[in-house]
Amino acid sequence: MASIQAAITGVAGYVPDYILTNEELSRMVDTTDEWIMTRIGIKGRHILKGEGLGTSDMAIVALRELLRKTHTAPEEVELLICATVTPDMQFPATANVLADKAGILNGFGFDMAAGCSSFLFALETGAKFVESGKYKKVVVVGADKMSSITDYQDRSTCPIFGDGAAAVMLEPDTDGYGVIDAKLMVDGSGRKHLHQVAGGSCYPATMETVAKRQHYIYQEGQPVFKAAVSHMADTAVEIMERNGLTGESIDWLVPHQANVRIIEAVGKRMGLPPEKVMVNIERYGNTTSATLPLCLWDYEKRLKRGDRLILATFGAGFTWGAIYLKWAYDGDKVA
Ligand code: UT7
Protein backbone atom coordinates (compact mmCIF):
# COMPACT_ATOMS: atom_id res chain seq x y z
CA MET A 1 0.00 0.00 0.00
CA ALA A 2 1.32 3.48 -0.91
CA SER A 3 2.34 5.52 2.10
CA ILE A 4 0.16 8.41 3.18
CA GLN A 5 1.53 11.94 2.93
CA ALA A 6 -0.10 15.13 4.17
CA ALA A 7 -0.89 17.43 1.24
CA ILE A 8 -1.86 21.07 1.48
CA THR A 9 -5.20 21.21 -0.37
CA GLY A 10 -6.07 24.86 0.23
CA VAL A 11 -4.82 28.13 1.69
CA ALA A 12 -6.50 31.35 2.78
CA GLY A 13 -5.30 34.50 4.48
CA TYR A 14 -6.40 37.76 6.02
CA VAL A 15 -4.74 41.01 6.98
CA PRO A 16 -6.58 43.87 8.69
CA ASP A 17 -7.33 47.06 6.74
CA TYR A 18 -5.23 49.58 8.62
CA ILE A 19 -1.72 50.08 7.18
CA LEU A 20 0.94 51.57 9.42
CA THR A 21 3.36 53.21 6.99
CA ASN A 22 7.04 54.06 7.50
CA GLU A 23 6.00 57.68 7.19
CA GLU A 24 3.63 57.37 10.16
CA LEU A 25 6.25 55.41 12.15
CA SER A 26 8.81 58.14 11.56
CA ARG A 27 6.48 60.52 13.41
CA MET A 28 6.32 58.10 16.38
CA VAL A 29 10.05 57.25 16.76
CA ASP A 30 13.37 58.51 15.40
CA THR A 31 13.48 56.56 12.13
CA THR A 32 13.15 57.00 8.38
CA ASP A 33 11.62 55.19 5.43
CA GLU A 34 15.12 54.93 3.98
CA TRP A 35 16.57 53.18 7.08
CA ILE A 36 13.68 50.73 7.32
CA MET A 37 13.72 49.90 3.60
CA THR A 38 17.49 49.38 3.40
CA ARG A 39 17.98 47.58 6.75
CA ILE A 40 14.76 45.49 6.83
CA GLY A 41 12.84 45.93 3.56
CA ILE A 42 9.42 46.87 4.93
CA LYS A 43 7.20 49.61 3.50
CA GLY A 44 4.01 49.02 5.49
CA ARG A 45 2.48 46.61 7.98
CA HIS A 46 -1.21 45.88 8.65
CA ILE A 47 -2.45 46.58 12.17
CA LEU A 48 -5.61 45.25 13.83
CA LYS A 49 -7.41 48.19 15.41
CA GLY A 50 -10.43 47.96 17.68
CA GLU A 51 -11.18 47.45 21.36
CA GLY A 52 -11.15 43.80 22.40
CA LEU A 53 -10.14 42.40 19.02
CA GLY A 54 -7.45 39.73 19.06
CA THR A 55 -5.65 37.09 17.04
CA SER A 56 -8.76 34.93 16.59
CA ASP A 57 -10.64 37.84 14.98
CA MET A 58 -8.17 37.76 12.10
CA ALA A 59 -7.73 33.98 12.04
CA ILE A 60 -11.48 33.32 11.81
CA VAL A 61 -11.71 35.28 8.54
CA ALA A 62 -8.91 33.17 7.03
CA LEU A 63 -10.37 29.95 8.44
CA ARG A 64 -13.89 30.56 7.06
CA GLU A 65 -12.42 31.34 3.64
CA LEU A 66 -10.32 28.17 3.80
CA LEU A 67 -13.40 26.06 4.59
CA ARG A 68 -15.25 27.67 1.66
CA LYS A 69 -12.39 27.17 -0.79
CA THR A 70 -11.86 23.53 0.18
CA HIS A 71 -15.60 22.76 0.30
CA THR A 72 -15.24 21.62 3.91
CA ALA A 73 -18.06 21.71 6.44
CA PRO A 74 -16.81 22.79 9.89
CA GLU A 75 -18.05 19.48 11.33
CA GLU A 76 -15.58 17.61 9.09
CA VAL A 77 -12.50 19.21 10.66
CA GLU A 78 -10.94 16.72 13.06
CA LEU A 79 -7.98 18.78 14.28
CA LEU A 80 -7.24 22.51 14.38
CA ILE A 81 -3.75 23.65 15.33
CA CYS A 82 -3.33 27.37 15.91
CA ALA A 83 0.27 28.55 15.67
CA THR A 84 0.59 31.81 17.57
CA VAL A 85 2.71 33.69 20.10
CA THR A 86 -0.08 36.20 20.75
CA PRO A 87 -3.07 34.09 21.82
CA ASP A 88 -6.33 35.88 22.56
CA MET A 89 -5.70 35.15 26.24
CA GLN A 90 -3.38 32.98 28.34
CA PHE A 91 -6.00 30.25 28.37
CA PRO A 92 -8.00 28.65 26.90
CA ALA A 93 -6.12 28.11 23.66
CA THR A 94 -6.99 30.32 20.71
CA ALA A 95 -7.68 27.10 18.79
CA ASN A 96 -10.69 26.64 21.11
CA VAL A 97 -11.95 30.17 20.43
CA LEU A 98 -11.56 29.58 16.69
CA ALA A 99 -13.28 26.20 16.80
CA ASP A 100 -16.23 27.82 18.54
CA LYS A 101 -16.41 30.74 16.11
CA ALA A 102 -16.15 28.45 13.07
CA GLY A 103 -18.52 25.74 14.34
CA ILE A 104 -15.86 23.03 14.55
CA LEU A 105 -17.68 20.68 16.89
CA ASN A 106 -16.37 17.21 16.00
CA GLY A 107 -12.67 17.59 16.60
CA PHE A 108 -9.96 18.77 18.90
CA GLY A 109 -7.42 21.56 18.80
CA PHE A 110 -4.52 23.21 20.52
CA ASP A 111 -2.12 26.12 20.17
CA MET A 112 1.53 25.82 19.25
CA ALA A 113 4.10 28.44 20.22
CA ALA A 114 7.62 28.29 18.81
CA GLY A 115 8.35 31.94 18.10
CA CYS A 116 8.45 32.73 14.40
CA SER A 117 8.78 28.99 13.69
CA SER A 118 5.35 28.26 15.18
CA PHE A 119 3.66 27.65 11.83
CA LEU A 120 6.38 25.34 10.52
CA PHE A 121 6.36 23.31 13.73
CA ALA A 122 2.55 23.16 13.60
CA LEU A 123 2.59 22.10 9.93
CA GLU A 124 4.91 19.18 10.66
CA THR A 125 2.79 18.22 13.69
CA GLY A 126 -0.45 18.38 11.70
CA ALA A 127 1.17 16.37 8.90
CA LYS A 128 2.00 13.57 11.33
CA PHE A 129 -1.67 13.25 12.36
CA VAL A 130 -2.61 12.88 8.69
CA GLU A 131 0.26 10.47 7.90
CA SER A 132 -0.91 8.24 10.76
CA GLY A 133 -3.98 7.47 8.67
CA LYS A 134 -6.38 8.42 11.44
CA TYR A 135 -7.15 12.01 10.43
CA LYS A 136 -8.47 13.22 7.05
CA LYS A 137 -9.02 16.95 7.62
CA VAL A 138 -6.47 18.89 9.65
CA VAL A 139 -6.38 22.69 9.66
CA VAL A 140 -3.18 24.54 10.53
CA VAL A 141 -3.59 28.25 11.27
CA GLY A 142 -0.75 30.76 11.65
CA ALA A 143 -1.89 34.02 13.21
CA ASP A 144 -0.43 36.82 15.28
CA LYS A 145 -1.43 40.24 16.50
CA MET A 146 2.16 41.39 16.95
CA SER A 147 1.01 44.97 17.54
CA SER A 148 -0.25 43.78 20.95
CA ILE A 149 3.34 43.12 22.14
CA THR A 150 5.22 45.74 20.11
CA ASP A 151 6.62 48.79 21.89
CA TYR A 152 5.88 51.78 19.67
CA GLN A 153 8.49 53.77 21.60
CA ASP A 154 11.30 51.34 20.64
CA ARG A 155 12.65 52.14 17.19
CA SER A 156 14.74 48.96 17.08
CA THR A 157 11.67 46.69 17.09
CA CYS A 158 8.54 48.67 16.15
CA PRO A 159 9.24 48.92 12.40
CA ILE A 160 9.56 45.14 12.09
CA PHE A 161 6.26 43.60 13.11
CA GLY A 162 2.75 43.46 11.67
CA ASP A 163 -0.56 41.63 12.21
CA GLY A 164 -2.04 38.90 10.03
CA ALA A 165 -3.43 35.39 9.76
CA ALA A 166 -3.52 32.54 7.28
CA ALA A 167 -4.52 28.89 7.29
CA VAL A 168 -3.93 25.71 5.31
CA MET A 169 -5.90 22.48 4.98
CA LEU A 170 -4.00 19.18 5.22
CA GLU A 171 -5.48 16.02 3.70
CA PRO A 172 -4.11 12.54 2.95
CA ASP A 173 -2.41 11.90 -0.40
CA THR A 174 -1.01 8.64 -1.75
CA ASP A 175 0.33 9.95 -5.10
CA GLY A 176 3.54 11.49 -3.75
CA TYR A 177 2.26 15.01 -3.03
CA GLY A 178 2.49 16.78 0.32
CA VAL A 179 5.07 16.97 3.08
CA ILE A 180 8.08 14.81 2.21
CA ASP A 181 10.79 15.77 4.69
CA ALA A 182 11.34 18.09 7.64
CA LYS A 183 14.06 19.12 10.02
CA LEU A 184 13.02 21.17 13.06
CA MET A 185 15.39 22.42 15.74
CA VAL A 186 15.51 24.36 19.01
CA ASP A 187 18.38 25.90 20.94
CA GLY A 188 16.93 27.35 24.12
CA SER A 189 20.16 29.15 25.00
CA GLY A 190 19.22 31.69 22.32
CA ARG A 191 16.22 32.84 24.34
CA LYS A 192 18.22 35.63 25.99
CA HIS A 193 18.41 37.49 22.67
CA LEU A 194 14.69 37.50 21.87
CA HIS A 195 11.86 37.22 24.39
CA GLN A 196 9.09 38.94 26.31
CA VAL A 197 10.13 39.37 29.96
CA ALA A 198 6.76 39.76 31.70
CA GLY A 199 3.27 38.34 31.43
CA GLY A 200 4.25 34.73 32.05
CA SER A 201 4.57 32.88 35.34
CA CYS A 202 8.04 34.30 36.18
CA TYR A 203 6.89 37.90 36.08
CA PRO A 204 3.10 38.19 36.09
CA ALA A 205 1.76 41.65 35.33
CA THR A 206 2.38 44.24 38.06
CA MET A 207 2.48 48.03 38.02
CA GLU A 208 6.26 47.67 37.92
CA THR A 209 6.43 45.33 34.92
CA VAL A 210 4.13 47.67 33.03
CA ALA A 211 6.15 50.74 34.01
CA LYS A 212 9.35 49.02 32.88
CA ARG A 213 7.72 48.20 29.52
CA GLN A 214 8.43 44.48 30.01
CA HIS A 215 5.29 43.24 28.26
CA TYR A 216 6.80 43.99 24.87
CA ILE A 217 9.21 42.18 22.52
CA TYR A 218 12.83 42.41 23.63
CA GLN A 219 15.27 41.74 20.78
CA GLU A 220 19.02 42.06 20.29
CA GLY A 221 18.96 42.37 16.52
CA GLN A 222 22.53 41.47 15.56
CA PRO A 223 22.91 38.04 17.22
CA VAL A 224 19.42 37.11 16.05
CA PHE A 225 20.26 38.18 12.51
CA LYS A 226 23.45 36.11 12.43
CA ALA A 227 21.80 33.00 13.86
CA ALA A 228 18.82 33.38 11.51
CA VAL A 229 20.97 33.46 8.37
CA SER A 230 23.22 30.55 9.34
CA HIS A 231 20.58 28.22 10.78
CA MET A 232 17.94 28.83 8.10
CA ALA A 233 20.45 28.42 5.28
CA ASP A 234 22.22 25.36 6.80
CA THR A 235 18.95 23.56 7.45
CA ALA A 236 17.43 24.36 4.06
CA VAL A 237 20.61 23.17 2.32
CA GLU A 238 20.65 19.98 4.40
CA ILE A 239 17.03 19.27 3.41
CA MET A 240 17.93 19.93 -0.24
CA GLU A 241 20.93 17.61 -0.19
CA ARG A 242 19.28 14.69 1.54
CA ASN A 243 16.40 14.81 -0.96
CA GLY A 244 18.67 15.13 -4.01
CA LEU A 245 17.42 18.65 -4.78
CA THR A 246 19.34 21.47 -6.48
CA GLY A 247 18.71 25.16 -7.09
CA GLU A 248 17.35 24.10 -10.47
CA SER A 249 14.95 21.41 -9.30
CA ILE A 250 13.43 23.51 -6.49
CA ASP A 251 10.53 25.64 -7.71
CA TRP A 252 10.01 27.87 -4.66
CA LEU A 253 11.66 28.89 -1.42
CA VAL A 254 9.05 30.00 1.11
CA PRO A 255 11.12 31.81 3.74
CA HIS A 256 10.07 33.38 7.02
CA GLN A 257 9.69 37.11 6.42
CA ALA A 258 11.80 38.80 9.11
CA ASN A 259 14.29 40.79 7.07
CA VAL A 260 14.76 41.00 3.31
CA ARG A 261 18.54 40.69 3.81
CA ILE A 262 18.08 37.35 5.61
CA ILE A 263 15.76 36.12 2.84
CA GLU A 264 18.25 37.08 0.12
CA ALA A 265 21.17 35.45 1.94
CA VAL A 266 19.27 32.16 2.37
CA GLY A 267 18.13 32.11 -1.27
CA LYS A 268 21.71 32.70 -2.40
CA ARG A 269 23.14 29.90 -0.23
CA MET A 270 20.57 27.56 -1.80
CA GLY A 271 21.58 28.62 -5.30
CA LEU A 272 18.15 30.02 -6.15
CA PRO A 273 17.48 32.96 -8.46
CA PRO A 274 15.40 35.76 -6.81
CA GLU A 275 12.31 34.87 -8.88
CA LYS A 276 12.04 31.51 -7.07
CA VAL A 277 11.96 33.15 -3.63
CA MET A 278 8.61 34.24 -2.18
CA VAL A 279 8.82 37.74 -0.70
CA ASN A 280 5.99 39.87 0.67
CA ILE A 281 7.69 41.44 3.70
CA GLU A 282 7.47 44.87 2.07
CA ARG A 283 3.67 44.88 2.51
CA TYR A 284 3.16 42.93 5.74
CA GLY A 285 6.35 43.15 7.84
CA ASN A 286 7.06 40.22 10.13
CA THR A 287 3.71 38.67 11.09
CA THR A 288 5.50 35.88 13.05
CA SER A 289 3.32 32.74 12.80
CA ALA A 290 1.51 34.04 9.71
CA THR A 291 4.46 34.76 7.39
CA LEU A 292 4.71 31.35 5.70
CA PRO A 293 1.00 30.73 5.03
CA LEU A 294 0.57 34.38 3.95
CA CYS A 295 3.30 33.76 1.34
CA LEU A 296 1.49 30.62 0.13
CA TRP A 297 -1.76 32.62 -0.02
CA ASP A 298 -0.20 35.50 -1.98
CA TYR A 299 1.54 33.16 -4.45
CA GLU A 300 -1.22 30.52 -4.65
CA LYS A 301 -2.26 31.41 -8.22
CA ARG A 302 1.33 30.79 -9.42
CA LEU A 303 1.72 27.41 -7.71
CA LYS A 304 1.34 24.27 -9.85
CA ARG A 305 0.67 20.65 -8.93
CA GLY A 306 4.06 18.99 -8.52
CA ASP A 307 6.00 22.18 -7.64
CA ARG A 308 8.81 21.48 -5.18
CA LEU A 309 8.73 23.89 -2.23
CA ILE A 310 11.15 24.40 0.62
CA LEU A 311 9.69 26.24 3.62
CA ALA A 312 12.32 27.65 5.99
CA THR A 313 12.12 29.62 9.18
CA PHE A 314 13.90 30.99 12.24
CA GLY A 315 12.50 32.51 15.41
CA ALA A 316 12.62 33.19 19.12
CA GLY A 317 13.71 30.28 21.23
CA PHE A 318 15.87 29.93 19.21
CA THR A 319 13.76 27.77 16.90
CA TRP A 320 14.33 26.99 13.25
CA GLY A 321 13.71 24.45 10.54
CA ALA A 322 12.89 23.56 6.97
CA ILE A 323 10.22 21.45 5.29
CA TYR A 324 10.28 19.99 1.79
CA LEU A 325 6.88 19.46 0.22
CA LYS A 326 5.35 18.81 -3.17
CA TRP A 327 2.46 21.13 -3.98
CA ALA A 328 -0.75 19.20 -4.65
CA TYR A 329 -2.93 21.43 -6.87
CA ASP A 330 -2.93 24.06 -9.60
CA GLY A 331 -3.46 27.36 -7.80
CA ASP A 332 -4.79 29.15 -10.87
CA LYS A 333 -7.80 26.80 -10.99
CA VAL A 334 -8.99 27.68 -7.48
CA ALA A 335 -12.12 29.85 -7.34
O1 UT7 B 1 11.53 36.83 13.26
C1 UT7 B 1 12.24 36.50 14.41
C2 UT7 B 1 13.66 36.59 14.16
N1 UT7 B 1 14.07 37.99 14.06
C3 UT7 B 1 14.90 38.37 13.13
O2 UT7 B 1 15.27 37.59 12.26
C4 UT7 B 1 15.46 39.78 13.21
C5 UT7 B 1 16.96 39.75 12.96
N2 UT7 B 1 17.58 41.06 13.08
C6 UT7 B 1 17.41 42.03 12.17
O3 UT7 B 1 16.64 41.89 11.24
C7 UT7 B 1 18.24 43.29 12.30
O4 UT7 B 1 19.28 43.07 13.24
C8 UT7 B 1 17.41 44.54 12.74
C9 UT7 B 1 16.47 44.93 11.62
C10 UT7 B 1 16.62 44.24 13.99
C11 UT7 B 1 18.35 45.71 13.00
O5 UT7 B 1 19.16 45.96 11.85
P1 UT7 B 1 20.74 46.08 11.99
O6 UT7 B 1 21.26 46.34 10.65
O7 UT7 B 1 21.22 44.84 12.69
O8 UT7 B 1 20.91 47.36 12.88
P2 UT7 B 1 21.61 47.52 14.29
O9 UT7 B 1 20.77 46.98 15.37
O10 UT7 B 1 23.05 47.08 14.21
O11 UT7 B 1 21.65 49.09 14.42
C12 UT7 B 1 22.46 49.91 13.53
C13 UT7 B 1 22.19 51.36 13.83
C14 UT7 B 1 22.29 51.68 15.33
O12 UT7 B 1 22.84 52.98 15.45
P3 UT7 B 1 24.40 53.20 15.79
O13 UT7 B 1 24.62 52.49 17.09
O14 UT7 B 1 25.14 52.55 14.64
O15 UT7 B 1 24.53 54.66 15.84
C15 UT7 B 1 20.86 51.73 15.78
O16 UT7 B 1 20.67 52.57 16.90
O17 UT7 B 1 20.86 51.70 13.45
C16 UT7 B 1 20.17 52.30 14.56
N3 UT7 B 1 18.77 51.99 14.47
C17 UT7 B 1 17.91 52.71 13.74
N4 UT7 B 1 18.08 53.82 13.03
C18 UT7 B 1 17.00 54.33 12.40
C19 UT7 B 1 18.11 50.93 15.01
N5 UT7 B 1 16.82 50.97 14.66
C20 UT7 B 1 16.66 52.07 13.87
C21 UT7 B 1 15.57 52.64 13.21
N6 UT7 B 1 15.78 53.76 12.49
N7 UT7 B 1 14.34 52.09 13.25
Side-chain angles (χ1 to χ4, degrees):
M1 204 180 91
S3 68
I4 301 170
Q5 285 177 187
I8 294 178
T9 55
V11 57
Y14 171 79
V15 286
D17 292 336
Y18 189 85
I19 299 172
L20 175 58
T21 61
N22 290 347
E23 206 278 316
E24 186 178 351
L25 265 179
S26 65
R27 283 184 262 121
M28 296 156 71
V29 289
D30 182 15
T31 192
T32 59
D33 173 61
E34 207 247 325
W35 192 95
I36 299 170
M37 277 307 286
T38 48
R39 305 308 298 168
I40 324 177
I42 302 171
K43 206 66 189 160
R45 62 291 286 150
H46 292 252
I47 302 293
L48 182 63
K49 300 263 186 185
E51 174 89 30
L53 296 182
T55 294
S56 75
D57 293 288
M58 296 183 291
I60 187 62
V61 184
L63 176 55
R64 285 199 180 113
E65 175 63 4
L66 178 73
L67 297 179
R68 185 199 67 76
K69 279 172 91 171
T70 57
H71 313 288
T72 306
E75 299 79 18
E76 292 177 80
V77 176
E78 298 156 295
L79 168 59
L80 169 71
I81 308 178
C82 182
T84 187
V85 299
T86 53
D88 281 16
M89 49 189 93
Q90 284 270 17
F91 70 91
T94 301
N96 290 48
V97 182
L98 275 175
D100 178 47
K101 287 181 176 176
I104 294 171
L105 301 168
N106 288 326
F108 73 114
F110 52 87
D111 287 0
M112 185 160 284
C116 291
S117 306
S118 299
F119 179 80
L120 205 79
F121 285 22
L123 186 65
E124 166 73 343
T125 306
K128 292 292 165 225
F129 280 91
V130 173
E131 288 164 18
S132 76
K134 189 169 174 193
Y135 298 90
K136 307 269 184 296
K137 299 255 186 200
V138 172
V139 172
V140 182
V141 174
D144 269 303
K145 184 187 171 186
M146 294 307 290
S147 61
S148 65
I149 54 167
T150 299
D151 184 351
Y152 290 99
Q153 292 182 17
D154 175 9
R155 73 172 184 170
S156 71
T157 53
C158 73
I160 300 173
F161 298 97
D163 302 339
V168 300
M169 179 70 74
L170 289 175
E171 295 183 70
D173 183 285
T174 49
D175 296 323
Y177 300 92
V179 175
I180 293 171
D181 195 10
K183 178 170 179 170
L184 309 179
M185 299 292 292
V186 300
D187 174 4
S189 69
R191 70 190 185 281
K192 60 180 176 289
H193 301 300
L194 179 51
H195 57 263
Q196 180 184 322
V197 172
S201 55
C202 290
Y203 295 100
T206 61
M207 300 293 272
E208 198 188 345
T209 61
V210 172
K212 285 177 156 170
R213 311 187 76 75
Q214 290 177 325
H215 293 266
Y216 296 121
I217 299 156
Y218 169 83
Q219 175 168 259
E220 294 157 12
Q222 296 267 344
V224 178
F225 186 97
K226 280 191 199 127
V229 172
S230 61
H231 286 314
M232 262 172 86
D234 287 351
T235 312
V237 167
E238 188 182 332
I239 285 279
M240 278 172 79
E241 287 174 355
R242 73 188 192 195
N243 289 282
L245 297 166
T246 62
E248 251 121 71
S249 57
I250 292 169
D251 296 289
W252 294 101
L253 168 64
V254 192
H256 173 52
Q257 310 281 307
N259 187 315
V260 78
R261 290 182 292 141
I262 298 175
I263 296 168
E264 284 166 4
V266 174
K268 218 165 163 190
R269 266 282 306 281
M270 295 171 70
L272 295 172
E275 57 274 17
K276 285 188 174 184
V277 181
M278 294 190 186
V279 185
N280 59 15
I281 186 172
E282 185 165 327
R283 287 182 291 130
Y284 301 143
N286 181 350
T287 54
T288 300
S289 310
T291 61
L292 298 178
L294 278 176
C295 276
L296 296 175
W297 180 54
D298 272 356
Y299 283 77
E300 185 189 26
K301 292 262 174 288
R302 296 167 63 183
L303 291 170
K304 296 256 170 300
R305 182 170 166 85
D307 276 358
R308 295 182 174 89
L309 276 61
I310 302 268
L311 284 66
T313 191
F314 181 87
F318 290 147
T319 56
W320 68 94
I323 281 184
Y324 165 41
L325 65 82
K326 250 193 193 171
W327 197 250
Y329 63 95
D330 292 326
D332 59 355
K333 298 201 179 111
V334 176

